[in-house]
Amino acid sequence: MRRISRITVAGAATASLALALSACGGTSTSASSSDSKGDKGLAIAYDVGGKGDQSFNDAAYAGLEQAKKEFQYDTQDVEPTEGETDADKEQRLVSLAKQGYNPVIGVGYAYAAAVKGAAEKFPDTTFGIVDDSTVESKNVADLVFSEEQASYLAGIAAAKSTKTNTVGFVGGVDIPLIHKFQAGFEQGVKDTNPKVKVLSQYLTQTAEEGGFASPDKGKSAAEGQIEKKADVVYAAAGLSGQGVIEAAAANKVWAIGVDSDQYKQEALAKYKDSILTSAMKDVAKAVYNLAKSVENGKPETGIVRGDLKTGEVSLSNSNPKFADNTELQDALKTAKEKIISGEIKVKSS
């Protein structure tokens, strides 16, 4: 059963809301005509990089598409704008809630203040935020992941694949979230082979400087690490990671992707033979599950964590050279079991 509150709110005039979305710079890229019930469902607001990043935001969109197909309701996804403020983000979420969308999800930690503000204004709407656990509200789900666990496995893969005993890590922005990727990766490398050197670099100090949205910065950083003999480079940098993958392909070394299975991404198809694996977190599943919980009348709230045990973080097996490496796969299986049991405790900083 759909929540009555959603049906009530869905009657708001759409014309004024369209203007409101325009005012805050949003653009809808997935709005269908109203279904027979006049009911509306999931809406997401993208993080820096927007749709088409082949990574984090695209994973959220995949979850939206799954919910739209299964529940046969209206959805909407809205792009960010350059230089926007927390107030702009909040207005975007408020506009979606006014239109009757439920749940409304901010994709990325940068939406924390906006989600908190919008949730206070619309207590009958369920809000979600991906990659942030600081918003405490009865109608907010904090969708977070143990990225360090998948990154540990990526470290094992890197340590067992390097021929130069040098690997690289490229982080998009120097923030605690990305520190989790670095910490897990470095620990996985060192636990596998202490002789392997890890070169680590962050592209920017803030997201506003383009750390998650600048393939050229990612390419330059990877080239620098490759010049220092890194022959496996792991990027946790959103859209900037495309540049890392491009540099790896050009120099015939391995890249490790992030968030989505980048071996399968159409925009990266010409580089796929250089993508060893990807450290994935199932943002799509988290987004879909929140929509499903609202659809079932039992909305998720509080911290909702995905990890190796739940299957929401993992390594992709799409590259046959990776999947068919029996020694590597055995090592990964053993490590995964030990992480789940608690025998291996992966650092998050």
Side-chain angles (χ1 to χ4, degrees), residues 178-194:
I178 307 303
H179 296 169
K180 293 169 67 179
F181 291 87
Q182 179 187 0
F185 181 69
E186 291 182 348
Q187 185 182 347
V189 170
K190 294 301 181 183
D191 285 357
T192 304
N193 185 351

Side-chain angles (χ1 to χ4, degrees), residues 91-115:
Q91 179 56 43
R92 179 175 302 128
L93 301 182
V94 165
S95 295
L96 292 167
K98 279 184 178 179
Q99 290 179 78
Y101 290 102
N102 187 12
V104 175
I105 301 177
V107 183
Y109 69 92
Y111 275 95
V115 166

Side-chain angles (χ1 to χ4, degrees), residues 17 24 55 61 80 88 117 123 180 213 252-253 300 321 327 338:
L17 271 303
C24 69
S55 182
Y61 178 72
D88 294 329
K180 293 169 67 179
K252 294 180 170 48
V253 302
E300 291 179 328
K321 290 183 179 179
E327 180 186 350
K338 288 182 177 180

Side-chain angles (χ1 to χ4, degrees), residues 100-256:
Y101 290 102
N102 187 12
V104 175
I105 301 177
V107 183
Y109 69 92
Y111 275 95
V115 166
K116 183 178 181 180
E120 290 174 354
K121 292 180 173 69
F122 290 85
D124 292 330
T125 297
T126 297
F127 290 84
I129 180 166
V130 179
D131 278 352
D132 183 89
S133 60
T134 66
V135 184
E136 298 180 2
S137 176
K138 292 180 179 179
N139 59 323
V140 175
D142 297 319
L143 309 176
V144 295
F145 303 86
S146 295
E147 295 95 346
E148 69 278 6
Q149 294 181 351
S151 295
Y152 183 97
L153 299 182
I156 294 175
K160 284 191 167 294
S161 300
T162 180
K163 296 178 180 179
T164 63
N165 276 357
T166 304
V167 302
F169 171 81
V170 177
V173 181
D174 191 356
I175 54 173
L177 172 63
I178 307 303
H179 296 169
K180 293 169 67 179
F181 291 87
Q182 179 187 0
F185 181 69
E186 291 182 348
Q187 185 182 347
V189 170
K190 294 301 181 183
D191 285 357
T192 304
N193 185 351
K195 295 181 180 179
V196 176
K197 182 179 181 180
V198 182
L199 306 175
S200 295
Q201 180 179 346
Y202 286 91
L203 301 180
T204 63
Q205 294 299 306
T206 66
E208 289 74 19
E209 296 171 278
F212 291 133
S214 304
D216 58 326
K217 294 181 188 294
K219 182 179 180 181
S220 178
E223 288 172 341
Q225 293 182 344
I226 293 167
E227 286 178 6
K228 296 176 181 178
K229 305 303 182 185
D231 60 351
V232 185
V233 185
Y234 173 38
L239 184 63
S240 299
Q242 291 191 29
V244 174
I245 292 170
E246 181 182 350
N251 289 277
K252 294 180 170 48
V253 302
W254 286 119
I256 295 178

Side-chain angles (χ1 to χ4, degrees), residues 18-61:
L19 289 173
L21 273 176
S22 176
C24 69
T27 56
S28 170
T29 55
S30 176
S32 63
S33 59
S34 296
D35 59 23
S36 60
K37 296 183 292 182
D39 208 359
K40 293 185 177 179
L42 172 63
I44 62 176
Y46 292 118
D47 196 6
V48 174
K51 191 164 132 186
D53 67 349
Q54 313 301 322
S55 182
F56 182 75
N57 289 298
D58 281 0
Y61 178 72

